[in-house]
Amino acid sequence: MTEPVLKVATRTPRPAQPISPELRPRLRTRLVIAMAIAALVPVAIVAVIATRVILSNLEAGLREDADRQLTVGLNLILRSVERVGDEAVQLSEDNDLSIAFETKKADPATMAIENWFAHEAAHVPSSRLQLIAPGGAVIFDRVIGGADQRFLNVGVTRADTETINANPWNRGLALVALDGVVVLRAISPVVDSKLALHGVLVLSVPLDGDFADAIKGALSADVLIGGRTGPLAVTFRSDLGKRAEPLALDPTDRAQALAGTHINKNLDVPSGHYAYALAALHDRADNVLGLVGVAVDREPLAATQRLAVRSLVIGGVGALGFALIVALFWSRRLGRPIAKLHRGAIAVSRGDLDHRIEVSGDDELTDLASAFNQMTGTLKDNQARLAARMREMVALHDAGRAVSSVIDLDSVSRKIVDAVARTFDVQVAALWISEGGATPGLRASAARARRADQASSLAASDSLAPAEALASIADRAASTKQPVRLDAVAELGAVIALPLVRQARVVGVLAVARAASAREFSEADLNLLTTFADQAGAAVENALLYREVRGASEELEKKVRLRTAELTAINTELGRALSDLRETQSQLVLSERMAGLGLLVAGVAHEINSPTAAIRGSIDGLAATLARVAKQAADISARAPNPAIGSAIVDYLAKIAPRLAERPLQTGVTARRAARELTAAIDAACAGIGGSTIVIDTPAIAAELAYLGSTAAEATALFEALGSERHLAAAVVATLVDHVYLHRTASTVGHAVGQIQRIVGALKSYSHLDQQPTRTEADLHEGIDTTLVLLHYALRDIVVERDYGDLPHVPVFVDELNHVWTNLISNAYQALAGKGTIHITTRVEDASHGADAVVRVIDTGPGIDPEVLPRIFEPFYTTKPKGEGTGLGLGICRQIVQKHGGTLACHSEPGRTAFEVRLPISPRGHVS
Amino acid sequence: MPRACGPGVTTRWIWLVALFAQACEANPERLHRRRDPGALVVAQATGAISLEPVRVTDNESIEAGTLLYEGLVHWKPGTTDIEPGLATAWKTSPDGRTWTFTLRDHVVFHDGTACDAAAVVFSFERVIDPKHPQYIAGPIDGTYWRLLFKDVTRIVAIDAATVQIETARPYAPLLGELAMFPIVSPTAVATWGAAYRAHPVGTGPFAFESWVIGEQLVVHRNPTYWGKAPALERIVFRVVVDARQRLIDLESGSVDVATAILPDEQTFVELHPDLRLHHVASNDVSYLAFNTQHPPFDDPLVRRAASHVINKEPIVKLAYQGRATAADGPLPPTQWGYHAPDVKYAYDVALARKLLAQSKTFDPARVYRLYAPTTPRPYLAQPERVARSLAAALEEVGIHIELVLQPYKEHRLAVERGDHDLAVFGWIGDTGDPDNFLYVLFHSDNAVVGEAQNIAFYRDPGVDALLRQAQEVTDQATRSGLYAAVQDRIGLAAPWVPIAHSEVVVAARRSLAGVVLSPLGHPIYALMSRTEGR
């Protein structure tokens, strides 16, 4: 009994979770994703911002670097310029030089200056050194640093020396634009210590590519330098170390730069990518002479940029990776206790309420685990209580079912007592039934008591003794219709007595007693017992009712048996009468068939009489003709000397006679005309043959032949066959006439015999003597035609019009149906009284039950009297004079048609009476 | 553990977001130039010593004073001509001893107090009246002004807008001196006491902002200035001791103006496309003085002969790097009252010899001592070299020279004592009045052995009379005539060989507009405007 209870409790054992607790990917995945996003978003933001800042800083830095380099470059250039100036001053103030001047005034360009130059000018940067005497003459002109092409055109000219001489004390630096090249001039008067003037020293340096190279060396950036016009000399080098072509500057940039604006732009030339800055170069008088620029290679900065971006990317990926690892670690740590909980939940769901989760740590999950354990414990207690209650209920239910399953009052009582005793663990259980009738009151019906020595089960006993102790309590319950509950009755203990009430009527009382030592009745017991009492009451009532019903039904059965015997006797008599009836009916059918046969025989006799007479007549003629033919043949052979001719004649006869026999005989005008043509033909034939002088009666022969219907050619053939023996012609023609006659007669006889055969065949067919009395697929038209053949004689003056549709074969009893056709057609011609038309039409027509084959026989007779019309199908009704008809014709016809499942109907009006036979194409008729 | 993370995570997020916001906001441009675009930065070799204007005589302090303070009258920018300042008008009494100034209305000091007659009187009295509570005592402080104002006997406020100055005798140069004399806020002086030197309050176009002595002085535009408001919002005077560094800063744009540019660097500045060298004739003169008390230089013939052998052009071109003009008299041409002398001493060695031959006292056998400083002076960048060239020139005509070269301090004491036969020296005028040159350098009053400014010990009663008279008349035209007469007499007597008037050089960014230098060599900042970096 415990198993079903458990089944109820774990009614929906869910399929085990598809994910094993160890893997737990969902929670962990979510955790990992969340933490990765938490890392990725700031990393991405930081990376983007940092990249932005770095890139913009780098770009700005590049520009600024170019600007700064320009500042430095300008500084370097100007320092170089300054240095040239300083050198010029130093050289010019050199004592040795002034001494050289003083001592060799007459010839300044002598060894003294050469010596000075050799000593002092060695450390001077590459330039062109010129010394100008106070008179303006250039007395010394050397290129320092070798004879370089650069310096050829940069020296002072005559005009320059004049300018210089005008103010010999002017010391200074000047930038002079010469042919697109800016030339630096450092001018310094050559003086002695007392500032006495000896001449002027000029150092000229072109600020060209080589100059720029020198700057580049110190600057570590490329330098651009040039005049106001023309391309700028550059220090860019190709990979092979060759100086790049001078840079042609954008005119706008040049104009701006010359106007004093700093240009700072990107420059892309074949030798590389640069950021360059341009500034104007001017002399001391602020005249703009040219442009100076510095180009910073963008490549190192671009590399830095790439490095920065790469570092950011690597850093970002690293951070992300670290975040993922941390996320995995944390998710694993978080996942483990959850997995434990999950296992516990699965165990509980499987019914293992003893499962406990190991509790460790001090966090929410631990709290959760404790709560889970607590929940499991509570669940277990509840389940145990629930199971006990369920057990009782099921037991009670079973008891109720058991009680309901029997209807015998004693059995019901015993079962009730047994069930109560078993379910409620009581000492005593007893049941009383309310008795009606003369002495109403309670009657003990069943009781059970547990003997003292039997602790667990109640003794089955038919004794009602235990009930006696409880009888008074039961009476009380019955009278009050209320449950009586007593907790301590002497010797019995706790007692409950329950009235079994049905529709406000007490049908019995159920009482139980539990020993004082045992458990007291609980409220739940009382409720359960009350519920059971309802069922028990219903069962007791049913049992009482059943007892009454059984008595009544036995009475009824007896009456039915008597009535059935009477009915059986009557039935037997009825069966006998029915067989008599069927016999009479078949006799009637037979007599009607005989009447039809008589009619037929009369017609057949007449039919056969005619061909027979024809045969007799022919036979008479045949004998005489055969005799004559034999005589003629002998005559012709006798007269014909030439056997060849004889055989020719025979051949001719044999050939022509049957042909002529088929032609009609010619008489009158046509015969005479034919005879004339034949005469001419014969004459022509005879003339053609010639030779004979025998005169023959050509017109007579021709007339005979014409009578027979011979043609000119046939006649000519005859005479050709005869040849010279044309005198035999007449005889041959006579023989021919006989031959033709013979053939004709034979034909007539054949015809007559054929007719007889046909009639006999029709009879056979009509009577269907050779067919089984079963349905056969038959052509209805065949049956109608056969009937018409048989009735040919009777119908000789009647016009029969047949209008046949396309009927399929219909399964019918052919001979029986032929009676119908015979009857209908006979009635029609009788109605016509020998003059009129009979239409026979056949059609396939749709009907409610399928397709019907419909045959209508319509006559143009006076019609059937409307008063008679309803009765025409009645048996024995006839309008014919006595002896002409039995009155069964149409009735039997209707029966036959109905046997086929069809209908026979009649519509009549003067001039048109139609009988309609409908036969189902698919058989559904019945055989009676 | 998650419980512990909750608030911490939130805080970190907020912190992180704030950081991003900061990063997003950061303008890369700001990372590069951190200059206040409205501020002008001036790199100076040394800083101001004090902002108490009457206590100082150093150039930088005076320059700062010209921004913070104003006098009763002004110089017209770039000249020494007088125009109204805090006083809108003035007149002198017929005897020339009483000056009456009408003050400008509604002028306030930087501290908001009114600049009235009382303030003007206060400013004077604390310098010249020993009984004044804020009297500036001391052997050095205020002495210079007391010397200048030695003839001022009384100063009174007639009413709030009228001030009267009385002098012991008619004294025309007073106006030039008033142009320099700063009017201070009596309230501020009383409040700060001795600390006033670091908390100056005047009426100038710029007001004091901050000062780190020896490093940086900052002034800002005076919003209540009565005149045309300056374009510059702020001026930063930054001390950059190294001359080279000053130039580098200028070149890089971190400063806008650099003073005290070395002569060697000037070419660089001139050639540099971003820089400009501004120069103005300085109010100075360098000269070779003959000790007229020592024979043979008491003989004008000898002095004239010597004047003819000095070729000034090479000196100007070579020793001054061209940053000077050859002098033909004691007054620089930019000073009003300048007069081109009738007598000119052209470079003519032959004439010199001839003149020497006429001299009776000249002894070619003797050696004469020429004193010269070794320390460069503003008016003489290469004194030694100049001295040598002068000596060489004199040797040329047989005047034998022994150079006595010593540092400026010793040199000065020596020449004031009159030890020299000849001496190379110079003078910087500071009041913008011819009197400041001619009276100081040629009047017999100043030819006192031991404290002589007239180191030629030139004594000419006629010149003395003319100079005295020029001090007593106030009309500038009259005074100019008197000074012209003086210059002619001096030219004829030739106590000096005037050598050169130097030029003041200031390097500035080319983009700086409105650069005008005063004859004292200060840029006039009120007229300047910055266009770079805006």
Side-chain angles (χ1 to χ4, degrees):
Chain A
M1 270 301 173
T2 52
E3 277 311 305
V5 175
L6 271 179
K7 266 181 198 156
V8 171
T10 59
R11 194 184 39 180
T12 53
R14 282 225 176 138
Q17 292 291 330
I19 298 148
S20 90
E22 281 70 30
L23 286 175
R24 320 270 321 143
R26 283 177 301 180
L27 181 61
R28 191 179 302 165
T29 309
R30 256 179 286 164
L31 261 169
V32 169
I33 289 171
M35 293 192 74
I37 288 170
L40 181 63
V41 169
V43 163
I45 293 171
V46 166
V48 167
I49 291 167
T51 310
R52 242 189 70 199
V53 170
I54 286 175
L55 293 190
S56 97
N57 278 348
L58 281 177
E59 189 61 30
L62 188 71
R63 300 267 166 169
E64 201 168 305
D65 192 46
D67 249 352
R68 200 165 42 236
Q69 293 282 18
L70 178 66
T71 309
V72 178
L74 268 172
N75 197 299
L76 284 169
I77 290 165
L78 296 180
R79 293 288 172 211
S80 300
V81 168
E82 228 179 24
R83 187 176 161 220
V84 173
D86 288 349
E87 289 295 343
V89 170
Q90 297 228 334
L91 285 174
S92 67
E93 292 185 351
D94 194 87
N95 258 342
D96 292 344
L97 182 61
S98 53
I99 289 165
F101 265 99
E102 279 175 6
T103 52
K104 300 287 177 187
K105 264 189 179 149
D107 184 10
T110 56
M111 220 48 170
I113 290 178
E114 291 286 357
N115 283 343
W116 165 82
F117 183 75
H119 279 106
E120 303 295 333
H123 62 280
V124 175
S126 291
S127 57
R128 182 161 167 177
L129 185 146
Q130 288 168 307
L131 289 173
I132 302 165
V138 176
I139 54 170
F140 190 78
D141 193 346
R142 288 283 191 287
V143 171
I144 302 170
D148 199 317
Q149 199 71 21
R150 290 169 63 204
F151 301 103
L152 277 185
N153 299 318
V154 302
V156 291
T157 59
R158 182 75 206 165
D160 294 333
T161 61
E162 280 171 7
T163 314
I164 291 165
N165 249 352
N167 289 292
W169 300 103
N170 276 346
R171 173 192 284 174
L173 285 163
L175 294 169
V176 185
L178 286 180
D179 300 333
V181 176
V182 179
V183 175
L184 168 67
R185 291 264 165 80
I187 300 165
S188 187
V190 179
V191 291
D192 54 23
S193 58
K194 291 170 285 251
L195 297 182
L197 183 75
H198 300 290
V200 176
L201 182 145
V202 179
L203 279 181
S204 301
V205 177
L207 304 186
D208 56 5
D210 289 334
F211 181 84
D213 278 343
I215 304 297
K216 179 189 179 181
L219 187 62
S220 75
D222 282 293
V223 177
L224 301 85
I225 196 162
R228 289 182 62 93
T229 57
L232 299 183
V234 293
T235 57
F236 304 142
R237 298 277 170 174
S238 70
D239 292 339
L240 298 172
K242 195 176 169 233
R243 187 197 302 282
E245 288 294 309
L247 177 72
L249 204 58
D250 179 58
T252 324
D253 290 352
R254 180 188 289 274
Q256 280 189 359
L258 289 175
T261 312
H262 276 208
I263 301 290
N264 195 335
K265 284 190 169 176
N266 284 349
L267 176 68
D268 296 300
V269 292
S271 51
H273 305 281
Y274 302 91
Y276 81 112
L278 269 184
L281 199 61
H282 57 84
D283 63 9
R284 294 177 73 169
D286 251 11
N287 300 311
V288 176
L289 295 173
L291 294 171
V292 182
V294 170
V296 180
D297 197 350
R298 295 213 302 274
E299 187 47 41
L301 272 156
T304 310
Q305 193 170 323
R306 282 195 296 273
L307 184 68
V309 171
R310 198 166 55 222
S311 304
L312 276 172
V313 167
I314 290 171
V317 169
L320 188 61
F322 180 72
L324 279 173
I325 290 167
V326 170
L328 276 171
F329 174 73
W330 272 106
S331 67
R332 194 177 281 277
R333 277 196 68 170
L334 283 174
R336 213 175 294 138
I338 292 174
K340 262 193 236 166
L341 277 168
H342 179 251
R343 275 196 295 274
I346 286 183
V348 170
S349 76
R350 282 187 185 129
D352 179 8
L353 293 178
D354 292 326
H355 188 94
R356 287 292 179 274
I357 292 162
E358 184 189 341
V359 176
S360 65
D362 180 24
D363 56 20
E364 286 91 336
L365 285 172
T366 314
D367 295 349
L368 181 59
S370 302
F372 184 85
N373 285 341
Q374 209 172 329
M375 180 192 81
T376 313
T378 313
L379 207 59
K380 194 182 171 194
D381 291 349
N382 282 342
Q383 203 198 20
R385 272 202 295 277
L386 197 65
R389 186 54 61 197
M390 283 302 293
R391 254 193 316 274
E392 284 177 4
M393 288 181 72
V394 168
L396 197 62
H397 175 75
D398 286 351
R401 212 163 48 189
V403 167
S404 308
S405 65
V406 291
I407 48 173
D408 178 54
L409 189 57
D410 288 340
S411 306
V412 166
S413 301
R414 271 197 299 276
K415 291 238 180 202
I416 288 170
V417 172
D418 282 352
V420 169
R422 194 170 54 230
T423 306
F424 291 96
D425 184 26
V426 294
Q427 204 78 32
V428 180
L431 178 71
W432 292 263
I433 305 294
S434 285
E435 287 289 325
T439 55
L442 288 176
R443 179 181 64 82
S445 174
R448 274 226 170 173
R450 187 159 65 191
R451 285 209 305 273
D453 58 331
Q454 285 179 315
S456 60
S457 66
L458 289 165
S461 148
D462 290 338
S463 164
L464 299 173
E468 287 169 12
L470 296 166
S472 61
I473 298 170
D475 282 342
R476 205 166 85 199
S479 59
T480 59
K481 296 186 183 177
Q482 290 294 322
V484 177
R485 183 173 169 182
L486 300 170
D487 282 341
V489 177
E491 294 183 14
L492 285 170
V495 175
I496 290 178
L498 290 164
L500 308 183
V501 182
R502 300 296 297 172
Q503 289 158 356
R505 190 170 66 92
V506 176
V507 295
V509 175
L510 177 65
V512 292
R514 191 176 272 175
S517 58
R519 182 163 62 89
E520 284 185 7
F521 289 108
S522 68
E523 202 61 33
D525 286 339
L526 181 61
N527 287 341
L528 210 55
L529 205 54
T530 310
T531 309
F532 179 71
D534 282 348
Q535 283 191 331
V540 167
E541 190 187 32
N542 282 347
L544 289 171
L545 285 173
Y546 175 69
R547 203 166 59 179
E548 289 175 18
V549 166
R550 205 165 56 178
S553 80
E554 275 169 9
E555 193 74 19
L556 192 63
E557 257 175 45
K558 221 176 284 170
K559 285 180 184 169
V560 166
R561 265 197 300 278
L562 209 64
R563 186 66 52 85
T564 305
E566 288 172 15
L567 282 172
T568 309
I570 292 166
N571 204 22
T572 314
E573 281 189 25
L574 277 173
R576 208 176 296 139
L578 191 63
S579 68
D580 290 352
L581 205 59
R582 283 200 182 128
E583 209 170 321
T584 311
Q585 191 184 18
S586 62
Q587 280 173 346
L588 278 174
V589 168
L590 192 61
S591 73
E592 178 63 16
R593 187 176 285 185
M594 292 311 291
L597 269 178
L599 188 66
L600 269 178
V601 167
V604 168
H606 180 80
E607 283 293 326
I608 292 174
N609 199 32
S610 304
T612 309
I615 291 165
R616 187 182 298 126
S618 300
I619 288 168
D620 290 350
L622 273 177
T625 308
L626 278 174
R628 200 164 54 241
V629 165
K631 192 176 158 276
Q632 281 169 347
D635 185 29
I636 289 165
S637 8
R639 287 167 67 186
N642 194 341
I645 291 172
S647 71
I649 290 166
V650 171
D651 283 349
Y652 173 78
L653 288 176
K655 203 171 102 194
I656 197 95
R659 209 186 290 170
L660 290 176
E662 289 173 7
R663 294 178 191 164
L665 297 172
Q666 304 290 319
T667 53
V669 180
T670 52
R672 280 193 295 276
R673 193 163 57 226
R676 276 195 299 275
E677 287 170 6
L678 284 173
T679 305
I682 291 165
D683 286 347
C686 290
I689 295 163
S692 177
T693 55
I694 299 161
V695 177
I696 55 168
D697 186 3
T698 307
I701 292 167
E704 284 291 336
L705 288 173
Y707 171 71
L708 291 174
S710 171
T711 61
E714 285 163 348
T716 309
L718 171 64
F719 280 90
E720 281 169 355
L722 286 172
S724 55
E725 307 297 331
R726 76 179 68 131
H727 58 280
L728 296 176
V732 169
V733 168
T735 309
L736 184 62
V737 170
D738 286 341
H739 271 269
V740 169
Y741 176 71
L742 283 174
H743 278 286
R744 285 183 181 273
T745 308
S747 174
T748 302
V749 169
H751 189 74
V753 168
Q755 204 168 351
I756 293 166
Q757 278 176 333
R758 194 164 58 92
I759 290 166
V760 170
L763 277 174
K764 266 173 78 183
S765 173
Y766 182 79
S767 63
H768 242 274
L769 297 174
D770 55 344
Q771 304 252 332
Q772 295 293 324
T774 53
R775 285 191 192 225
T776 42
E777 293 278 334
D779 185 0
L780 295 184
H781 297 153
E782 204 175 287
I784 296 167
D785 285 347
T786 304
T787 308
L788 285 174
V789 167
L790 292 176
L791 296 178
H792 180 253
Y793 165 73
L795 297 173
R796 61 190 176 278
D797 294 326
I798 305 295
V799 177
V800 177
E801 289 180 359
R802 290 176 299 182
D803 177 11
Y804 290 171
D806 192 9
L807 285 187
H809 286 207
V810 181
V812 291
F813 300 97
V814 176
D815 54 345
E816 288 188 11
L817 208 52
N818 282 347
H819 280 292
V820 175
W821 308 139
T822 307
N823 211 314
L824 292 181
I825 295 168
S826 315
N827 278 351
Y829 86 75
Q830 283 169 5
L832 289 171
K835 197 149 181 85
T837 308
I838 297 175
H839 296 277
I840 300 174
T841 62
T842 64
R843 292 287 185 275
V844 174
E845 288 180 9
D846 287 336
S848 58
H849 46 73
D852 278 343
V854 181
V855 179
R856 289 191 185 85
V857 179
I858 303 161
D859 67 70
T860 56
I864 300 168
D865 193 333
E867 289 175 9
V868 174
L869 192 59
R871 301 180 62 192
I872 56 173
F873 295 115
E874 286 180 9
F876 310 113
Y877 180 83
T878 181
T879 56
K880 292 169 186 164
K882 270 199 168 76
E884 271 198 33
T886 59
L888 285 171
L890 282 173
I892 287 172
C893 282
R894 175 169 266 191
Q895 275 188 357
I896 290 168
V897 171
Q898 283 172 346
K899 180 178 167 186
H900 285 86
T903 56
L904 173 60
C906 174
H907 306 278
S908 180
E909 58 192 63
R912 188 178 187 277
T913 301
F915 283 88
E916 183 188 87
V917 177
R918 301 187 78 99
L919 293 170
I921 291 171
S922 304
R924 62 173 189 287
H926 60 276
V927 180
S928 61
Chain B
M1 198 167 292
R3 210 173 308 157
C5 278
V9 166
T10 313
T11 313
R12 254 172 274 164
W13 271 106
I14 291 167
W15 180 81
L16 211 57
V17 168
L19 183 78
F20 290 153
Q22 175 92 27
C24 292
E25 205 181 308
N27 183 356
E29 283 301 312
R30 278 176 50 191
L31 299 174
H32 300 299
R33 294 193 185 275
R34 292 190 178 277
R35 276 209 49 186
D36 177 359
L40 179 90
V41 183
V42 181
Q44 294 176 321
T46 57
I49 293 167
S50 170
L51 301 177
E52 165 68 274
V54 293
R55 290 179 188 268
V56 294
T57 53
D58 68 289
N59 200 37
E60 284 74 21
S61 299
I62 292 169
E63 183 173 27
T66 60
L67 298 173
L68 299 170
Y69 300 102
E70 292 176 291
L72 289 175
V73 295
H74 284 179
W75 281 317
K76 281 182 188 164
T79 70
T80 50
D81 295 343
I82 299 297
E83 66 177 15
L86 288 177
T88 52
W90 57 89
K91 60 184 182 194
T92 51
S93 58
D95 65 357
R97 291 177 53 219
T98 304
W99 299 71
T100 305
F101 292 90
T102 306
L103 298 185
R104 194 176 292 276
D105 289 335
H106 310 305
V107 176
V108 292
F109 289 106
H110 300 148
D111 62 2
T113 56
C115 177
D116 52 12
V120 174
V121 170
F122 174 89
S123 297
F124 278 90
E125 284 186 341
R126 73 184 190 120
V127 173
I128 59 175
D129 181 5
K131 296 186 202 76
H132 194 271
Q134 270 82 34
Y135 179 67
I136 297 168
I140 298 167
D141 290 348
T143 310
Y144 176 73
W145 290 105
R146 280 192 282 277
L147 182 68
L148 289 179
F149 293 144
K150 65 180 188 297
D151 290 329
V152 175
T153 54
R154 206 168 78 100
I155 175 160
V156 288
I158 303 301
D159 56 38
T162 313
V163 172
Q164 227 171 49
I165 299 174
E166 290 175 15
T167 53
R169 59 186 178 88
Y171 184 61
L174 183 66
L175 271 185
E177 288 158 15
L178 291 179
M180 289 174 61
F181 186 74
I183 305 302
V184 301
S185 161
T187 317
V189 171
T191 306
W192 293 103
Y196 179 77
R197 62 188 289 273
H199 298 89
V201 178
T203 59
F206 291 90
F208 174 77
E209 185 170 312
S210 68
W211 185 31
V212 180
I213 297 172
E215 286 183 22
Q216 181 167 290
L217 168 68
V218 182
V219 298
H220 63 260
R221 182 161 58 200
N222 173 13
T224 59
Y225 187 58
W226 56 267
K228 184 176 181 293
L232 298 174
E233 290 169 18
R234 181 172 273 102
I235 304 173
V236 179
F237 293 97
R238 188 178 292 163
V239 177
V240 182
V241 177
D242 184 28
R244 188 91 194 194
Q245 187 60 44
R246 286 198 294 277
L247 192 60
I248 289 169
D249 288 351
L250 186 66
E251 212 183 333
S252 70
S254 62
V255 306
D256 300 296
V257 175
T259 59
I261 297 298
L262 296 179
D264 286 349
E265 307 281 15
Q266 291 174 7
T267 309
F268 177 85
V269 175
E270 282 183 312
L271 292 178
H272 200 289
D274 296 337
L275 308 181
R276 179 169 278 168
L277 196 67
H278 298 274
H279 49 86
V280 68
S282 178
N283 210 30
D284 67 10
V285 63
S286 58
Y287 55 92
L288 174 68
F290 306 104
N291 190 333
T292 54
Q293 306 300 319
H294 289 195
F297 301 110
D298 54 347
D299 182 354
L301 276 179
V302 176
R303 300 200 295 263
R304 286 187 202 122
S307 296
H308 279 293
V309 297
I310 305 299
N311 188 358
K312 296 170 192 170
E313 200 185 354
I315 294 171
V316 168
K317 290 281 168 59
L318 301 181
Y320 284 85
Q321 312 286 345
R323 294 277 164 239
T325 46
D328 54 8
L331 282 184
T334 49
Q335 171 66 54
W336 69 264
Y338 164 78
H339 169 69
D342 295 339
V343 182
K344 289 190 170 64
Y345 299 95
Y347 177 54
D348 190 342
V349 178
L351 179 59
R353 288 207 174 91
K354 202 165 80 186
L355 289 171
L356 273 181
Q358 291 172 13
S359 171
K360 297 177 179 75
T361 56
F362 176 65
D363 180 1
R366 268 194 65 190
V367 175
Y368 304 97
R369 282 179 301 173
L370 193 160
Y371 280 65
T374 52
T375 314
R377 302 299 300 158
Y379 44 81
L380 189 57
Q382 294 176 300
E384 200 176 327
R385 186 168 189 200
V386 171
R388 286 188 195 288
S389 75
L390 292 173
L394 293 168
E395 291 278 359
E396 185 82 12
V397 292
I399 303 172
H400 301 298
I401 295 296
E402 179 198 348
L403 281 176
V404 179
L405 300 171
Q406 44 193 348
Y408 175 70
K409 201 173 166 188
E410 286 78 17
H411 172 73
R412 181 174 175 174
L413 289 171
V415 298
E416 281 177 359
R417 282 195 305 268
D419 295 350
H420 57 286
D421 296 318
L422 304 100
V424 174
F425 212 28
W427 180 251
I428 306 170
D430 46 16
T431 63
D433 194 290
D435 181 74
N436 188 247
F437 279 86
L438 298 176
Y439 173 77
V440 173
L441 297 175
F442 295 104
H443 197 277
S444 55
D445 286 356
N446 295 315
V448 180
V449 172
E451 55 182 48
Q453 296 296 319
N454 178 358
I455 63 166
F457 297 94
Y458 175 69
R459 295 162 194 274
D460 180 347
V463 169
D464 283 357
L466 285 169
L467 287 171
R468 182 62 69 185
Q469 190 182 352
Q471 284 184 346
E472 290 171 358
V473 296
T474 53
D475 177 56
Q476 190 171 312
T478 312
R479 294 182 69 208
S480 290
L482 291 169
Y483 288 129
V486 170
Q487 288 169 73
D488 276 338
R489 286 188 70 92
I490 290 170
L492 194 63
W496 287 6
V497 181
I499 298 172
H501 308 290
S502 73
E503 287 181 339
V504 181
V505 171
V506 170
R509 298 288 296 173
R510 188 172 280 263
S511 54
L512 214 56
V515 181
V516 177
L517 302 181
S518 80
L520 298 184
H522 309 147
I524 301 172
Y525 296 105
L527 301 176
M528 218 179 260
S529 62
R530 238 183 131 247
T531 56
E532 200 169 25
R534 292 254 179 197

